[in-house]
Amino acid sequence: MTDAPLHLEQPGWRSTLRLAFANRSFMIGFVITALVAAMALVSYVWTPYDVTHLIVADRMKGLSAQHPFGTDHFGRDILSMIMVGARNSIAVAVVAVAVGMGIGVPLGCWAAARGGWVDETLMRFNDVVFAFPALLSAVMITAIFGPGAVNAIIAIGIFNIPVFARVARAGALSLWPREYVLAARAAGKGKTLITIEHILPNIASILLVQGTIQFALGILAEAGLSYLGLGAQPPMPSWGRMLFDAQTRMMVAPHLAIFPGLAIVITVLGLNLLGDGLRDVLDPRLRRQR
Amino acid sequence: MSLLEIENLRLEIGGTPILRDIDLSIAEGEVMGLVGESGSGKSMTALTIMRLLPDAARTSGRVTFDGIDILAAPEAAMNRLRGDDIGMVFQEPMTALNPVKTIGEQVAEGIRWHAGANRADAEQTARQILDRVGLPEAKFPLSRFPHELSGGQRQRVVIAIACALKPKLLIADEPTTALDVVLQKQILELLRDLVDEQKMGLLLISHDLAVVADMADRITIMRHGEVMEEGETARTLSAQVHPYTRQLALASMHVPDRKKHAPSADDAARPLLSVENVVRHYPGRRTSLFSRPEPFRAVDGVSFSIRASQSVALVGRSGCGKSTLARMILALDRPTQGAIRLNGAEVSAMSETELKPHRRDIQVVFQDPYGSFNPRHKVERLVAEPLHLLEKQPGPAERREMVAAALHEVGLQPRDMDKYPHEFSGGQRQRISIARAIITRPRLVVADEPVSALDVSIRAQVLDLFAELNGKLGVAYLFITHDLTVARAITDDVMVMHEGRIVESGKTIDVLDNPQSEAAKALVAAAPDLHRALQKRLAEQG
Amino acid sequence: MIAFLSKRLGIGLVTLLVASAVVFFVLEILPGDPALLMLGMNATPEALASMREQMGLNDPVLVRYFSWIGGMLVGDFGRSFTYSSPVIDLIAERVVVSLPLAIISLILSTAIAIPVGIFAAARRGRMGDTVSMGVAQVGVAIPNFWFALLLVYVFAVWLRLLPSGGFPGWGAGVWPGLKALILPAIALALPQAAILARVTRSAMLEVLGEDYIRTARAKGMPRRYVLWRHALRNAMIPVLTIMGLQFAFLLAGTIIIENVFYLPGLGRLVFQAITQRDLIVVEGVIMLLVASVVVVNLVVDILYAVVDPRLRVSA
C-alpha cells in the first residue's frame, strides 16, 4: 500500500493514438516511414526517368534541375533508382520480419506455455543461431542457393526467428504467473486458448516494437547483401548495389555514394524513431523487463 | 523548540497538487505517527523532508529541521544532513539494498562519508550497529550480500544504515508493510528501542491505525494531501472528533454482520472439500555438482475438510506454504503425494478435461485488484470467463444477463460491464473479481489475501460483501490470510499453518483467543489490535 | 558459481556440436562435385574417381562428418582445393589481420560508448543528453560499409592521411599495419558504439530508478558518487550482454568491411571461398568464428558472475 501506486494502465486505442501523435519520436519516425513507403509505391506508377533505360551520353552527370541527384555510370537517374530501390529494400525487410514473426512468435509462446524440455530445446536452438554471425550465414545461404531477393529474404528471415522467439517467450513467461492467467486456468481454459486470449494481446505491443527494430535491421542487412552482390540482381536497382558501383568511382563522382547511403540512413532512422516512439507510447514499463 | 517544523507545506509535481498546507512538528525524542490511505501524500511528505522528491516537484512553505531551512538548503548541505542527522527506512526491504555490494560496505559507506572515518574504524562501527539491530557478526559477517538475507534481515540492515550515526530524526515509511505480522512486531520493537536509546525523533508512516496507536506519542491523520486531524494519539483516536478519524477507526475495527446460511442436513454431513495427507515438494537448490538436491517440502502432510457454506481461514506467516496449498486446491498445481477430493471426486488425479465439470464448483479471488484482470478485456468478458465451464454455453443475450446479475450481486451496475478494468478503483475491481468467482454458482471460493491490498475503509466494505454472499448463496470460503482481524471477522473456523504443516485448528474465536501452539501464539501476540493498543495507552496515562 | 559456469560451458559445447552438424550438412547438400571443381571440366572419369577416393568423398557421410570434427580438434581443418594448402595455414595467415581489427573495434566502441552513455544518463533530458543521443540515433542507422566509403573519401582521397585499402603485412612494421587498420576499425566500431551508448544510457536510467539508489541517496551520498559507485556496476549487466552479442556482429561486419578495404582477413577469405565453392575452407572458418562467439559468451558469463554476486552462489 504505497502512496500513488504505479500501475500499468491500458488506455483504449483512441487515447493511445492521441498519445502517439503527441510523441515527437513517433511523429518524426511515422512521417519518414510514410514518405519512404509512399516513394516506393509511387515508383510503381511513376518515376522521373525509366531506370532500365541506359543513356550513356548522360553518364555520371552531377546535380542538376533535370537530375536532382545526378546520374550513374550508365546515365540512369539516381533519384529514380533510389525510388525503385526502396521497393526492394522494403519488400525484403517486411517479408523477413513476417517470416521471423510468423515462425518465432508461435515457437516462443509454445516454449513459454509448455516449459520443460520443449522450452530447453528451443532455447538451445536459439543459442546456436545466435552464435552464428548472422551476416556471415546470410552470405553463406545466398552464396549456396544463389544470389537474389528471395534468398536474401530467407537468409535475413531465418535470423529474425530466434529474435522474435526470445521476445515472445520472455513476454509470455512474465504473463503466465499473472493472476488473470491463473483465473483463466481456474476457469478451465487450456494453454492454447489462454495464449490466444490473454498472452498474445498483451505481448502484441512489445512484438510491434521489436518488429520495427528488425525491420530497420533488415534494411541494413539487405543493403549489406546487395553491396556484396548477393541481393537483388541487376538491372533491378538496389541501394546496396548502387553503393558498390559508386565505390570505384567515388573520386570523380562522390554523389553516387552520398544519395543511396542517405536513403538507407533516413529510412532506418525513421523506423528506429518509430519504434522508440511506439515503445514509449504503448508500454513504458515493458522496458523494465529483465 | 521542535526538532522538525513543517508549516504550510505545499507540493506540486508537474503541475498536479500533491500536498496542501501541511503543518506538522516533531519534538526531540518524540514519535509522530503519520496515518492515511493510499494517495494521501504521506510518503511525499517524508521525501520532502529528505529533499528526495522527483525533479518535476515544486515546493513552497517552510520545513525547518534543527534550525536549518530544508527547502532552501543547498544540495551539499542536504547531503551532510541525510544519513547523518536524518535517517530513513523504506517500505520494500527486498529492493532497498544494492545487490552487488556487501552489507558491510553499504553500512560503512555512510559512516566513512559523514564521519571521515578510515575503513577499519567505519567497519568497526558498522559491526556494532549491525550487532545492535540483531545481525551479530558471527552469523552475519560484513561480507554478506543482500540476497543471502531474508526480508526481515534486510530491513534490519536498512535500519542499521539509517541509525548508524545516531540521527536526530528517523523517518520510517511503512517499514513493516511488506513483512508478516511476526516480523512486523520484531521490527517495530527494534525501532522503539533504538528511538529510546538514542533519543531520536521518529516519524512513523503507516496505513495501519493499530500500528501507529501502539507506537506513536502523537498522530497526524492525512487525506488527499491535507492534514485532517493532529493530536495526542490515545486521545485523538478515542475521542474521534474529526469525522474522518472516526471513519478510519471504525473501518479498522469493522466486523461484518453475518447471517448464517443454514446448510441442509445432507450438506452438513458430507464434506465438500477434503484434503488428505497432501505433500508438495519443490526441487531444492543444488549444493554440489554431484549430489542430488534435497527437495524443499512446501506443504508437508496436510489434511482437513470443508463443509458446504462453511467459512474457513488458513492463516500463517509468509512462506509457510499456504499459497502453495491454495494452488493445489484450485487444481493449478498437483500434489506430490496425497489426494484432494471435491464432492468426493479425486480432482488431484484428474486430467484437465476430466477436471472441467468440477472446476465450476470451485473459483478464486486473488489479492491484487490490479493484476487480476486482462487489461485489454471489458468487464463483461472478464466476468463471463468462467461460463466457459458450463455444459451448455449461454447465448450472447443470456450471457449479458448472467453478467449483469453477477455484477448486481456484488453491488455494481449492469452498465459497468462495458467498461475496462482500469476505469475502476481498487475496491471496485475486487468486487468485479468476486463477481467473476460467483458467476458459475460455485460451492467453494478460495480467496487468497483478498483484502490485504485494500485501504481500510474499502476493506470493510469488501468484507461485508463476502459475508453477505456467504449468507445469501451458501458458498463456502477458504480465506488465505496473514491478517488475523480478517480471519476473526469473517470465518467460523481457522487453521494455523507453519512450515508446511497445519499446527492448530478449531473454532476461529477459540483459537485466536486461546492459542495453543507456538506458531499460533506468536501470530496472535504479534497481530496489531487497535482496541488493545488504545486500552494500553489509556491505562498508562491513568 | 561452479555449477553456473559448468552449465554455461555445457551449453557452449552443445552449441558448437549442433553448429558443426548444421554447417557440415548444409554444405553437404550443395550442388556441385568438389573433385570436379578441383580438376576442372576436362578431367577424365578415372582421374575424377581417384581424386574422389583421395579426398575421402566416397566414405559414408557420418564417417566424413566425424573425421572432420576429429581433425578440427587436433588442429587439422583439412586442405583447401583452390589454394592447395592446409586450411589451418590459410586461417593463421588471415587471423593476424581479422583479430586485431575486431579487438581494436571492440575497444574503440566500448571506450566511446560507455562514457557517452553514462554522461547522457547523468544529464537526462538536458542538452548533453539530447545531443549525444541524437547523434547515437543517427549512428545506429548508418550502414558500416557506407560509413567506410565516407571515411575513405575524407581521409584517404581528400586529406590523404591514411591508406584507402590493402594491408602491407605486419612484416613491414607495426605502424604501417596499424595505419591500414585504423579506418576499417573506425567504420566497424562507430555504428556499434552508437548502439552500445544507447544501451548503456537506458541501463543506467533504469538502475537509477531503483530503490537502492534512493537508499544510497538517503545515506547522504552525492549524486555523482551514487552514479559511479552504486549505479554503474548494476548497469553493467545488460551492457555486458549487448557487448557479447556485438562481438558476433563485429565478426560478421568484418566480411563487408574487409571487402571495402581489400584487407586479407578471414572475412575476405570466407567470402572468396564461398564464391569458389571451396567448402572445406568455408566450413573451417565458420566453425572458428562460431567457436570464438561461444568463447566470448563464456567470458561474458564469467564477467556476469564477477559483477553480480547473486550468480556466485555456491553452497
Side-chain angles (χ1 to χ4, degrees), chain A:
Chain A
M1 219 182 281
T2 50
D3 280 351
L6 270 175
H7 293 291
L8 182 53
E9 300 293 29
Q10 301 291 341
W13 280 113
R14 201 165 302 165
S15 46
T16 306
L17 269 186
R18 208 171 44 234
L19 268 178
F21 285 103
N23 181 295
R24 203 174 39 160
S25 293
F26 180 87
M27 271 314 286
I28 300 174
F30 181 78
V31 168
I32 293 177
T33 309
L35 283 178
V36 173
M39 187 170 82
L41 285 177
V42 166
S43 78
Y44 280 101
V45 289
W46 176 81
T47 50
Y49 294 86
D50 181 358
V51 293
T52 55
H53 198 62
L54 315 181
I55 305 167
V56 183
D58 281 348
R59 59 196 295 265
M60 296 214 270
K61 283 256 174 77
L63 283 53
S64 66
Q66 288 84 34
H67 298 283
F69 293 174
T71 62
D72 78 346
H73 56 291
F74 290 127
R76 291 178 295 183
D77 177 48
I78 301 263
L79 175 61
S80 306
M81 290 179 73
I82 287 178
M83 287 176 69
V84 177
R87 277 187 221 167
N88 182 58
S89 285
I90 292 176
V92 170
V94 164
V95 181
V97 167
V99 168
M101 269 198 189
I103 302 176
V105 172
L107 280 180
C109 287
W110 186 42
R114 183 66 176 69
W117 65 269
V118 171
D119 188 23
E120 191 71 14
T121 313
L122 282 172
M123 287 306 111
R124 287 298 78 77
F125 256 100
N126 260 358
D127 284 344
V128 173
V129 182
F130 270 115
F132 276 85
L135 188 74
L136 171 63
S137 315
V139 168
M140 195 172 90
I141 291 170
T142 46
I144 293 167
F145 299 107
V150 175
N151 288 337
I153 288 172
I154 296 172
I156 300 168
I158 284 180
F159 291 94
N160 279 338
I161 295 172
V163 174
F164 284 105
R166 229 174 226 213
V167 171
R169 174 179 174 271
L173 277 183
S174 75
L175 293 179
W176 274 99
R178 290 284 176 94
E179 293 184 340
Y180 63 82
V181 174
L182 292 180
R185 287 177 59 199
K189 292 198 169 160
K191 289 186 170 173
T192 319
L193 198 54
I194 289 178
T195 299
I196 293 168
E197 284 189 4
H198 295 294
I199 307 289
L200 277 177
N202 285 297
I203 60 172
S205 50
I206 47 170
L207 292 175
L208 192 63
V209 170
Q210 193 65 42
T212 62
I213 296 171
Q214 295 308 119
F215 190 1
L217 288 176
I219 296 222
L220 282 176
E222 193 278 335
L225 285 180
S226 50
Y227 171 82
L228 291 174
L230 301 171
Q233 294 301 296
M236 179 72 179
S238 74
W239 295 345
R241 187 81 202 177
M242 289 167 79
L243 286 177
F244 177 77
D245 290 336
Q247 188 175 352
T248 47
R249 302 176 178 86
M250 253 198 359
M251 279 172 239
V252 272
H255 69 269
L256 291 182
I258 300 288
F259 293 107
L262 279 180
I264 299 173
V265 173
I266 290 171
T267 308
V268 174
L269 184 64
L271 285 166
N272 283 338
L273 286 172
L274 188 68
D276 281 5
L278 272 177
R279 184 170 50 194
D280 290 347
V281 172
L282 289 174
D283 277 311
R285 276 164 47 94
L286 281 173
R287 272 180 296 179
R288 291 177 150 248
Q289 275 178 358
R290 250 147 278 199

Side-chain angles (χ1 to χ4, degrees), chain A residues 140 143-144 227 247 250 257 276, chain C residues 30 137 146 198 260 274 286:
Chain A
M140 195 172 90
I144 293 167
Y227 171 82
Q247 188 175 352
M250 253 198 359
D276 281 5
Chain C
L30 272 189
Q137 183 72 269
W146 185 61
R198 281 165 55 89
V260 177
I274 286 172
I286 290 184

Side-chain angles (χ1 to χ4, degrees), chain B residues 83 95-96 98-99 106 109 114, chain C residues 211 215 218-219 225 229-230 234 309:
Chain B
T95 53
N98 189 336
Q106 298 191 54
E109 187 178 60
H114 289 290
Chain C
D211 283 357
T215 309
K219 231 185 275 181
Y225 179 98
R229 296 298 192 82
H230 285 269
N234 283 287

Side-chain angles (χ1 to χ4, degrees), chain B residues 50 52 75 79 82-83 90 92 95-101 106 109-110 113-114 145 147 161 285 289, chain C residues 2-3 6 211-212 214-215 217-223 225 229-230 233-234 307-310 312-313 315:
Chain B
M50 293 298 278
L52 288 176
E75 180 64 20
N79 282 339
R82 290 185 202 122
F90 302 95
E92 191 38 81
T95 53
L97 293 172
N98 189 336
V100 305
K101 288 184 156 235
Q106 298 191 54
E109 187 178 60
W113 177 257
H114 289 290
F145 282 100
H147 70 270
I161 291 173
R285 179 184 281 167
L289 205 52
Chain C
I2 303 289
S6 50
D211 283 357
Y212 53 80
R214 193 178 55 185
T215 309
R217 298 268 290 136
K219 231 185 275 181
M221 300 298 159
R223 262 176 213 273
Y225 179 98
R229 296 298 192 82
H230 285 269
R233 205 160 140 197
N234 283 287
V307 171
D308 190 343
R310 283 165 293 187
R312 266 181 254 157
V313 185

Side-chain angles (χ1 to χ4, degrees), chain B residues 31-36 42 174 184 188 192 203-221 231 233-234 237 528 530 533-534 537:
Chain B
V31 179
M32 164 60 86
L34 186 56
V35 186
K42 317 180 290 273
E174 305 263 12
Q184 161 161 297
L188 290 175
R192 183 157 39 204
L203 178 63
L204 177 67
I205 297 173
S206 179
H207 67 281
D208 190 336
L209 271 188
V211 164
V212 173
D214 198 34
M215 295 279 294
D217 305 317
R218 285 195 304 135
I219 182 171
T220 299
I221 295 173
T233 307
L237 291 182
L530 184 55
L534 278 182
R537 278 212 170 260

Side-chain angles (χ1 to χ4, degrees), chain C residues 46-60:
Chain C
E46 294 76 33
L48 256 178
S50 79
M51 192 67 202
R52 290 181 62 86
E53 186 62 40
Q54 196 191 327
M55 289 165 68
L57 290 173
N58 292 334
D59 295 340

